[in-house]
Amino acid sequence: MTSVVVDRPVVCPDQVTLGVLISQVPRDAVDDAVAVCGVRERRSDGKLPAHVTAYLTLALALFPDDDYEEVAAKVTGSLDRFGVWDAGWSVPTSSAITQARKRLGRELFAELFRGTCGPVAGRAGPAAAAAALGAARGSFLRSWRLLAIDGFEIDVPDTPANVAEFGYAGSGEKQSSFPKARVVALAECGTHAFVAAAVGTHTSGEKTLAATLYPQLHGDELLTADRGFYSWRGWQTAQATGAALLWRAPTNLHLPVIKILPDGTYLSILIKPEIRFIPRRDRLLAAARAGTHLDNLDHIPEAFDRHGEPIAHLVRVIEYDIPDRAGDGHHELIALTTTILNPADARADELAAAYHQRWEQETSHDQLKTHLRGPGQVLRSRLPDLVHQEIWAYLIVHHAVTALITQASAAADLDPDQISFTKTLRLIRRTATGTAAIPPSPLD
């Protein structure tokens, strides 16, 4: 059998010259975001209307090493060709671009992300694993789209305004050199595409930001999370969406055995921590062992608080060992909790493998922070509103690149992991100059 090693991106230049940004971030989506945020320009004769400024800001994320005027010079040829730029105009100055960005505010790019950055691995359903766009292996577990949640930090310029809003990490001699913004995101495991995100200050906890993302989950999704994300409130919020959950349990989480299942997993119960009355907890445990449905208010009213909210959830626990990695003779016990209670719906080995897929999000972070933004790079924005714009612009451009890679993998019947993000990004940057087009529209 002959093996094939893919050492270059299977992305053709003609795919890129269509404009990675125009294909993934269409003009209509930009106009919709501008309308929602109410930041349309007041003058009709300006060189930097809202939609042009939006694409220039995305281009700044595509070319992080170039200054404002250099980036503008690279893309104004496309603007001229499509009738939204006059060749007689001079390239806008850095100051003009900054003022135009200020007019857009901090919410526009978050709105644009929500309107354009969805899943890219195909539709979930009974045949999802086989019909995923390309060979996006690891994107589905049976009919569930496989997602992961995790966070990362980004250094921002050390200005008084940024310090006041974002703050430093650590203190004293251990204080970070730059203020830091925090990002928590949901990523599609098989493609590395970010599908939802929350941006906050360094003092914003990951759990706090994650709580704003859980309501965005869908019933055809399976969310994996490390033990640092577990909280009763977070679990309850995520479960209420109908999405399936597969979270590693923190070591201090009490998981009493309710029933041992044929595959060696077992049912357990999560009880709201505020419920400290031991007899009540014992009655809930006894009811669960008796097979009483804890989600029925009529059968067991004690399983609900005075507002009708559940205070207990039945979960399935999968335990397995990780081989000795430190060389000290100890194995690591992993305990996963899931809302998938029936082994027929997902076997223990499938769930363990699905949880392992959550590490794919580390690749997403590396692609954005190391390859797209550049290793050790500090954002360019000196004002908090512009920092928010810039972070969302990076998320949007990263999504556009991963979507292009996934489309290319479909054509070549490859796993997206086999296509180099770095080489694809280089190709996009080369062809974006003069070809990454902004959709045609007259200045109105």
Side-chain angles (χ1 to χ4, degrees):
M1 180 180 294
T2 302
S3 62
V4 177
V5 177
V6 179
D7 60 359
R8 62 183 185 276
V10 188
V11 177
C12 300
D14 61 339
Q15 290 177 284
V16 180
T17 55
L18 296 174
V20 65
L21 295 182
I22 184 175
S23 62
Q24 302 301 325
V25 189
R27 170 66 189 278
D28 288 348
V30 175
D31 287 344
D32 288 346
V34 167
V36 168
C37 296
V39 293
R40 186 173 298 282
E41 62 280 354
R42 296 178 182 179
R43 295 175 54 192
S44 62
D45 58 347
K47 288 187 291 183
L48 291 174
H51 73 280
V52 173
T53 305
Y55 281 105
L56 282 177
T57 304
L58 294 174
L60 292 173
L62 189 58
F63 299 101
D65 294 330
D66 296 329
D67 61 31
Y68 280 28
E69 293 180 29
E70 178 66 20
V71 173
K74 286 181 175 180
V75 299
T76 50
S78 297
L79 296 175
D80 179 38
R81 223 175 37 255
F82 282 100
V84 294
W85 190 268
D86 189 321
W89 289 343
S90 59
V91 173
T93 64
S94 296
S95 176
I97 295 173
T98 298
Q99 293 304 314
R101 288 185 63 200
K102 287 180 181 178
R103 291 193 293 271
L104 294 186
R106 76 166 58 185
E107 298 298 333
L108 175 68
F109 287 88
E111 181 66 29
L112 186 57
F113 179 93
R114 287 189 288 269
T116 60
C117 297
V120 299
R123 296 181 179 179
L133 179 59
R137 298 170 184 87
S139 292
F140 294 91
L141 172 62
R142 301 201 183 188
S143 63
W144 290 288
R145 182 183 304 279
L146 195 56
L147 303 181
I149 187 167
D150 209 346
F152 59 92
E153 298 173 347
I154 294 182
D155 290 339
V156 304
D158 195 357
T159 65
N162 285 343
V163 171
E165 171 140 349
F166 297 103
Y168 297 100
S171 60
E173 294 182 354
K174 296 184 178 180
Q175 179 176 287
S176 60
S177 300
F178 295 94
K180 292 181 180 289
R182 188 186 299 280
V183 180
V184 174
L186 299 177
E188 195 175 52
C189 292
T191 66
H192 311 137
F194 294 112
V195 297
V199 178
T201 67
H202 179 264
T203 55
S204 304
E206 284 190 335
K207 289 181 181 179
T208 301
L209 293 176
T212 67
L213 299 179
Y214 297 143
Q216 300 180 48
L217 293 169
H218 300 90
D220 59 0
E221 294 169 341
L222 170 59
L223 177 64
T224 63
D226 198 5
R227 56 188 169 189
F229 282 91
Y230 176 80
S231 70
W232 164 266
R233 179 56 61 185
W235 180 277
Q236 178 150 299
T237 302
Q239 182 174 355
T241 66
L245 308 181
L246 180 64
W247 295 11
R248 185 176 177 182
T251 54
N252 61 350
L253 184 63
H254 182 51
L255 294 169
V257 177
I258 300 296
K259 180 183 179 181
I260 297 177
L261 301 175
D263 67 343
T265 62
Y266 64 91
L267 298 182
S268 186
I269 186 173
L270 301 177
I271 300 177
K272 190 175 182 180
E274 288 79 2
I275 306 302
R276 295 191 174 93
F277 186 55
I278 294 178
R280 185 179 184 183
R281 296 177 71 93
D282 288 344
R283 287 194 293 271
L284 289 172
L285 185 57
R289 285 175 172 154
T292 304
H293 291 291
L294 300 180
D295 57 356
N296 191 315
L297 181 61
D298 295 329
H299 286 175
I300 181 166
E302 277 196 315
F304 296 82
D305 63 18
R306 58 191 179 89
H307 302 293
E309 294 289 330
I311 63 165
H313 292 294
L314 201 63
V315 296
R316 179 173 161 218
V317 181
I318 303 97
E319 293 183 343
Y320 58 95
D321 283 329
I322 295 292
D324 175 22
R325 291 180 290 192
D328 57 8
H330 295 287
H331 297 278
E332 183 181 8
L333 178 65
I334 304 291
L336 305 179
T337 54
T338 181
T339 57
I340 304 172
L341 304 182
N342 190 342
D345 294 330
R347 302 187 312 273
D349 62 311
E350 289 180 288
L351 292 169
Y355 179 75
H356 179 73
Q357 286 292 325
R358 73 166 217 87
W359 291 103
E360 291 285 335
Q361 188 163 358
E362 294 295 329
T363 300
S364 304
H365 297 174
D366 180 68
Q367 289 171 345
L368 189 151
K369 296 177 65 176
T370 302
H371 302 292
L372 180 56
R373 188 191 61 179
Q377 288 276 55
V378 179
L379 296 188
R380 66 174 89 220
S381 301
R382 301 177 63 81
L383 296 172
D385 282 1
L386 304 192
V387 167
H388 280 265
Q389 281 185 13
E390 191 172 354
I391 292 172
W392 284 107
Y394 272 111
L395 290 166
I396 292 168
V397 172
H398 177 272
H399 187 277
V401 177
T402 56
L404 181 64
I405 287 173
T406 305
Q407 292 162 7
S409 76
D413 193 27
L414 291 172
D415 189 315
D417 285 341
Q418 295 178 269
I419 299 178
S420 168
F421 182 91
T422 303
K423 292 181 180 180
T424 301
L425 184 58
R426 286 195 201 120
L427 179 59
I428 290 170
R429 284 170 172 161
R430 285 200 303 269
T431 56
T433 304
T435 58
I438 293 178
S441 172
L443 291 175
D444 11 77

